[in-house]
Amino acid sequence: MQLAGWALAELAVVFAAGAGVITLLYLLRMRRRQVVVPFAELWEQVTRESESRKLWRKLRRLFSWLIQLILLALVCLALGDPRPEVWLREPATTAIVIDTSASMAAVADEDGQTRLALALQRARAEVEALGPADRALIIAAGSEVSVPAPLTGEGGTLLAALDSAPPDPDSPINPKTRPRVRVGPGEADLGRALLLARNALGDQPTPRILVLTDGALDEAGVDAVDRCIERAKLEGEASCEVLDIGAPKSEDGEADTAFGRNVAITAFAARRYPSNPDQVEVLVEIQNLGAEPARFELRVTADGLPVGGKALELAPGDRALEVLPKLDAARERLVAELRPLEGADGNVDEASAGALGPSIDDRAYAVIPPLDPMEVTLVTDGGNLFLEAALLTLDDSVRLTTVGVDEGAASAVGDANLVFYDIAANPLPDPLPTTNLVIFDPHRVEGSPAPIPLLRELRSPRLSEQNEKHEILEGVVFKDVNMFQGTSFDLAPGDINLVSHLGEPIVALREGDHGVLQIGFDPRGSDLPLRTAFPLMIANAVDYFGRREAGFVAAIPIGASRELALADFGVPGEDVTLLEVLPPTPDNPIPARTSEDAEAGVERPTPLRVRAQDGRFRIRALVPGVYTITVKDGAAAGAVFEVAVNQANAAASNLESRLVDDHAVPEAHAAGPAPEPAPLSEGPLWTLIMLAAIALLTAEWASYHRRKTV
Amino acid sequence: MGLRERMGLGGGRQNKAAVELPDIFDDEFLRQLELLQVIARRLIRGRQRAERKTRKTGSGLEFADHRSYSPGDDIRNVDWNVLARLNQTLVRLFEEDEDLPLRLVVDVSDSMLTKGAHKLIYAQKIIAALAYVGLAGLDRVGLTAMSGKAHETLPAIRGKSRIFRVFDFLRKAPLGGPTDIYGGCKRVAAQASLPGVTVVVSDFYDLQGAFDGLNLLRFQKHEVVAIQVIDPVEANPLDTGVRGDVTLVDVEGDASRDVTLSPAMLQAYAEAHERFCTTLANKCRSRGMPYFRANIDEPFDELVLRIFRLGGVLR
């Protein structure tokens, strides 16, 4: 506080002189007026009872004198025109950049406050410390950069933007009722946020950028902070201060690992079994990003009903790729959720709950893709009807195309997922098609392009051993199978010997980008087709390759602009130009289908219209959940498909600050403690002091006329 | 005269010795009294005469009774007709006409002199009016000016032309001194050879002696009439604006008292004053003593006519 008006010495003189005059006047005032009364006896009767208040009468003279001195002091203070120091300095412009990435939802202190709460607290302190000529803007840096409060000097506007009150429960989908600065999924796009801040501060006086982040940034974010600090060293550039709100440090400077714990689902996908569409296989990748072991339960639900799950324990830093096979789920939308274990008393185990960290990455969504029939091509000379019959029995899941030997070239089989070569004595096409292959008797003709080379020819081989555990041979028994001749294969490391003749592989599998199953005999020359093992093996092989081929459709990661192909969702979309995207809301990540909502009277957000070109389109995927996309034109008009969007980003879930070592914030650019709030945001202080003096004078006047004071 | 002056705030404590009364007994005042006398005469005509009947028999014109002749009786009063008819010597008795002894007592204490002595002036006007009406009715009118310090008496006079002696007495009567109603009344009672109508005009600011003095006169067969002169500002000082710490100084003595005047206290004084006046009035009336409250803001002639209308002073 400094005096902008009269100097302190001058004020002291004025006050001393005024106090002297007041004291003198009061001394004179203490001489009572004399009032002559004709009936003193009656007056004495009436005034006798006031004798008991004589002491107070004396004290209130002193009280009145003190009031007058206070009044004089206030007037002197007003003459001094006191102003807080923040008013006297040059006006400053501050861009407050708040990291709203997922990691900001982590608990930051023992009171349970999140990192974002601490950041907002600091931002409020900065706003409250603004002087009358200072201005500030607030930038929220999440997956998408937003400006909750533009450049303004109005503290109310800025504080309103920092209001962290929860949304109105009555209108959960109304974005106006939500806090303007809230944690979102994904990483903070600090690069764009800081660029925006620098541009906004371009011509402003005393520009300053304050970055409120937990330091749990991706490489781009760390680079952006580094660039901000480096540019701040240049003359004329905005200063850059960084406040690392990360996990609180203990007294020895080490991070408290208890606040950095987090387990995240980093991948989640599901698919149906081609051979059994009522069952799904789920793939979940989970990572323990904390520094302590984590025990928890993985649960998969469909429409709120659990369909599978298991308890897991992960060491610090471990990543688990869990495949939950054969889950019964006719529904198409699945939710994977990490849940704390229950303690012995039936309550939630606190340690388990604490290990999971922020909940934003403990849920993931998946849409089971539609199961298209598998494209199977049979290249045959037409002499093995047993094989064709075995494939035709798989009609539900297989679209069979039978071609002749001359049409079996790589270019002719097209996009088939699996090609059977049963061509007897005919040579295999060279090169073979780059897809999954099942080749019967591949080395009958010399110089065969079959991937697994010939070991030697066999006479009347016996199928003496078989790998019963392999999926292709599940339920298949090769016992007493007779055949005239066969070939054994020279396996390379990695090749799988499924069936062998006295130790020599006669049926082998090579896995790679495309699998190859080589069967070293011609079925025509054996009695195998007459056995149940033959169609069973064919079905197992189709299912095996089908699962390899029809892979999991991974969820889309969070992002402001994600490019997708219509073909990935089974929609022929070359002529599609317009799509309608219905996004989920944070409170309703898996919206019911439109028709169901209409029946239930549920209000839905307004669909977004997006353009498509050449079968590709972009969507804003900022909210995890299931997005419903409707094709509005083209041949596939009316087609509806769904896309799951997940955070699925280990870097975003990692709560550890990366502003360390080489990227540590220099001390000169580290934000200090929160500033003290400005005493008054605007207006000269002396007017308020004079108002106080007038108020005091009025009170004294009123009390004087009520004989409270003298 | 402003309220503050009437409350005694004009120039601090008043100088008791320096009270100079204005000469109110001029021609204009005399004309006022003439008019008042005419009106008053009209009011009391028929039943109220100066020639008042007494129970005494004497030389009046109206026959009252007979009695036996006794030696020494005036033979002119012998009823010769009765003697001739009945041979009894009887003497005729006549009711004797007697004038009314009217004693007017005015309080000239310091309490009547406050703030320009307007209470005393008002009282003097009342006294002069009553005296004039009394003199005009051939009553014998005597005046007394009393206080704790002074006691001056004008012996009974008769005849309208003597009104100027009344004026002179009132002009020259000594002023000041403490209020002493009881002492004054005691001396009035002692001086009066015949009890008559005694009108006491005062503010009666004497807690103990006010009623006792009047009651003493009553015991002495006086027909007492009390006229209390009140200054409404003194009676209710709430409107004077006087507030705060003041020293109340008794106008009749050296006693003083430091008080803080608050509206509540002023209100309490007004209520106490009203209680005092009401108590005095009730006591007077309960003992057959007419009581009149004379507000100095009320024209004195109206007050006098009110007194005549209600009766009690002149019959």
Side-chain angles (χ1 to χ4, degrees), chain A residues 49-386:
Chain A
E49 61 190 33
S50 70
E51 289 294 315
S52 59
R53 293 179 297 196
K54 193 176 279 185
L55 176 63
W56 164 239
R57 289 211 311 268
K58 288 180 180 174
L59 284 177
R60 68 186 178 176
R61 286 183 168 273
L62 180 66
F63 180 63
S64 295
W65 178 69
L66 287 174
I67 285 179
Q68 298 303 322
L69 287 185
I70 291 170
L71 271 172
L72 177 65
L74 287 174
V75 172
C76 288
L77 193 60
L79 286 172
D81 193 7
R83 298 186 184 191
E85 290 175 7
V86 292
W87 292 9
L88 298 175
R89 62 166 162 72
E90 286 293 314
T93 313
T94 306
I96 303 173
V97 179
I98 303 174
D99 179 358
T100 58
S101 62
S103 59
M104 292 292 281
V107 174
D109 60 17
E110 293 175 351
D111 296 334
Q113 290 200 96
T114 63
R115 296 176 177 182
L116 181 68
L118 293 182
L120 292 175
Q121 195 174 315
R122 173 57 185 262
R124 277 193 286 272
E126 292 286 339
V127 171
E128 286 165 358
L130 293 178
D134 295 343
R135 298 203 299 166
L137 83 158
I138 296 167
I139 298 173
S143 305
E144 194 175 44
V145 175
S146 64
V147 181
L151 192 59
T152 177
E154 294 179 8
T157 305
L158 294 165
L159 289 174
L162 296 171
D163 187 6
S164 58
D168 183 359
D170 294 336
S171 53
I173 61 170
N174 183 359
K176 292 178 181 176
T177 63
R178 299 184 178 289
R180 296 192 210 174
V181 182
R182 63 197 306 246
V183 169
E187 287 283 11
D189 192 351
L190 274 183
R192 289 178 60 204
L194 292 174
L195 185 63
L196 174 62
R198 197 167 293 285
N199 289 337
L201 298 178
D203 299 326
Q204 301 299 327
T206 323
R208 169 179 172 245
I209 298 174
L210 175 64
V211 183
L212 305 176
T213 177
D214 59 353
L217 305 168
D218 56 6
E219 286 301 322
V222 172
D223 289 345
V225 172
D226 286 345
R227 279 199 307 276
C228 179
I229 292 173
E230 287 303 318
R231 287 195 63 172
K233 295 173 183 173
L234 303 176
E235 192 167 346
E237 290 288 344
S239 66
C240 184
E241 294 177 22
V242 180
L243 179 67
D244 188 355
I245 299 176
K249 302 288 192 296
S250 57
E251 290 182 356
D252 56 2
E254 292 296 321
D256 190 342
T257 56
F259 295 112
R261 293 179 295 177
N262 191 23
V263 179
I265 298 176
T266 52
F268 180 44
R271 65 177 180 179
R272 295 200 183 281
Y273 288 100
S275 57
N276 187 359
D278 292 336
Q279 287 190 326
V280 296
E281 186 176 45
V282 167
L283 172 72
V284 188
E285 185 186 66
I286 305 161
Q287 196 165 349
N288 181 4
L289 299 157
E292 296 179 10
R295 293 172 59 249
F296 54 90
E297 179 194 359
L298 166 66
R299 181 178 291 183
V300 178
T301 58
D303 284 350
L305 298 174
V307 295
K310 66 191 296 187
L312 296 170
E313 180 167 359
L314 288 180
D318 270 10
R319 184 173 62 180
L321 192 63
E322 293 293 330
V323 176
L324 304 180
K326 296 183 179 177
L327 303 180
D328 293 317
R331 308 269 181 176
E332 293 175 348
R333 300 188 286 190
L334 299 179
V335 178
E337 192 176 7
L338 303 183
R339 300 163 63 93
L341 296 175
E342 288 188 357
D345 54 356
N347 295 325
V348 173
D349 182 15
E350 294 295 332
S352 177
L356 291 179
S359 60
I360 197 166
D361 52 14
D362 292 344
R363 282 170 71 93
Y365 309 93
V367 175
I368 302 170
L371 187 62
D372 288 336
M374 190 174 175
E375 295 288 345
V376 175
T377 299
L378 173 61
V379 183
T380 179
D381 62 349
N384 188 357
L385 297 180
F386 291 99

Side-chain angles (χ1 to χ4, degrees), chain A residues 32-48 50-51 53 57 60-61 705 707 710, chain B residues 7 9 13-14 115 205 207 234 243-251 257-262 265 269 273:
Chain A
R32 290 169 177 267
R33 289 179 297 169
Q34 287 191 343
V35 176
V36 178
V37 292
F39 203 177
E41 279 181 287
L42 196 61
W43 274 110
E44 188 174 352
Q45 253 187 9
V46 172
T47 58
R48 195 171 296 148
S50 70
E51 289 294 315
R53 293 179 297 196
R57 289 211 311 268
R60 68 186 178 176
R61 286 183 168 273
H705 284 273
R707 311 323 314 162
V710 293
Chain B
M7 191 58 198
L9 296 172
R13 186 167 184 173
Q14 85 177 53
K115 294 77 161 180
Y205 282 172
L207 279 179
E234 286 179 355
R243 302 286 191 278
D245 292 345
V246 297
T247 300
L248 298 180
V249 180
D250 186 2
V251 73
R257 186 174 188 81
D258 290 344
V259 296
T260 301
L261 292 183
S262 63
M265 184 174 288
Y269 175 81
H273 188 278

